């Protein structure tokens, strides 16, 4: 499968194109986040009224000057090595998205905006 240079979300085949909507990649990232130990997704990005609607799920895929960038906002669990957890999360997100869509993102940016002190036992 080859990826179109004009639009990396379109795969061209001899029998037709396959279009993958940005929200599909965002949903893959959300589901990966829900089951990743040491972090939890956020409901709202607290950067003002307009920012709330752009990041209402804590995950947003956007085109940044021709580059596919995924922004992810999470809460980290207390007593975790945050940098190690975030690097592992970036790797897992990359693997899941490539495995399910055959699309490679140019960048996955993860923002830790809060700390969960009383984390449930099963997600630590």
């Amino acid at each position: 499968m080859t990826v179109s240079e004009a639009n990396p979300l379109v795969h061209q085949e001899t029998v037709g194109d396959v279009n993958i909507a940005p929200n599909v990649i965002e949903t893959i990232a959300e589901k990966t986040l829900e089951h990743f130990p040491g972090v939890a997704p956020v409901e709202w990005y607290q950067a003002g009224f307009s920012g709330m609607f752009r990041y209402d799920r804590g995950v947003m895929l956007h085109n940044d000057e021709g580059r596919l960038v995924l922004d992810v906002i999470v809460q980290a669990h207390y007593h975790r090595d945050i940098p190690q957890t975030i690097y592992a999360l970036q790797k897992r997100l990359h693997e899941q998205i490539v495995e399910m869509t055959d699309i490679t993102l140019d960048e996955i940016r993860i923002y830790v905006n809060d700390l969960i002190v009383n984390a449930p036992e099963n997600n630590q």
Side-chain angles (χ1 to χ4, degrees), residues 23-35 41 58-60 70-72 89 93 96-97 100 105 108:
N23 69 332
V24 171
I25 293 174
E26 292 171 349
T27 301
I28 293 167
E30 286 176 41
K31 294 302 177 188
T32 301
L33 266 176
E34 288 175 7
H35 303 287
V59 176
M60 187 176 116
L70 181 69
D71 285 333
V72 179
L89 176 58
L93 286 168
Q96 286 292 104
I97 292 167
M100 295 180 75
L105 302 178
I108 298 173

Side-chain angles (χ1 to χ4, degrees), residues 25-105:
I25 293 174
E26 292 171 349
T27 301
I28 293 167
E30 286 176 41
K31 294 302 177 188
T32 301
L33 266 176
E34 288 175 7
H35 303 287
F36 196 84
V39 297
V42 295
E43 292 294 321
W44 303 102
Y45 181 61
Q46 300 166 0
F49 185 73
S50 64
M52 234 180 347
F53 294 106
R54 285 189 66 201
Y55 290 96
D56 61 336
R57 299 179 300 179
V59 176
M60 187 176 116
L61 179 70
H62 57 96
N63 190 327
D64 187 7
E65 297 179 9
R67 300 173 64 242
L68 281 178
V69 177
L70 181 69
D71 285 333
V72 179
I73 302 156
V74 298
Q75 302 171 79
H77 290 229
Y78 189 69
H79 283 299
R80 298 291 293 219
D81 182 333
I82 295 173
Q84 180 182 1
T85 301
I86 298 307
Y87 293 137
L89 176 58
Q90 281 179 318
K91 181 180 178 188
R92 183 69 180 146
L93 286 168
H94 173 78
E95 290 168 350
Q96 286 292 104
I97 292 167
V98 169
E99 179 181 312
M100 295 180 75
T101 66
D102 201 26
I103 294 172
T104 301
L105 302 178

Side-chain angles (χ1 to χ4, degrees), residues 101-121:
T101 66
D102 201 26
I103 294 172
T104 301
L105 302 178
D106 295 300
E107 189 174 2
I108 298 173
R109 298 187 292 213
I110 300 178
Y111 303 92
V112 179
N113 84 333
D114 204 356
L115 192 62
I116 299 173
V117 178
N118 296 324
E121 290 292 322

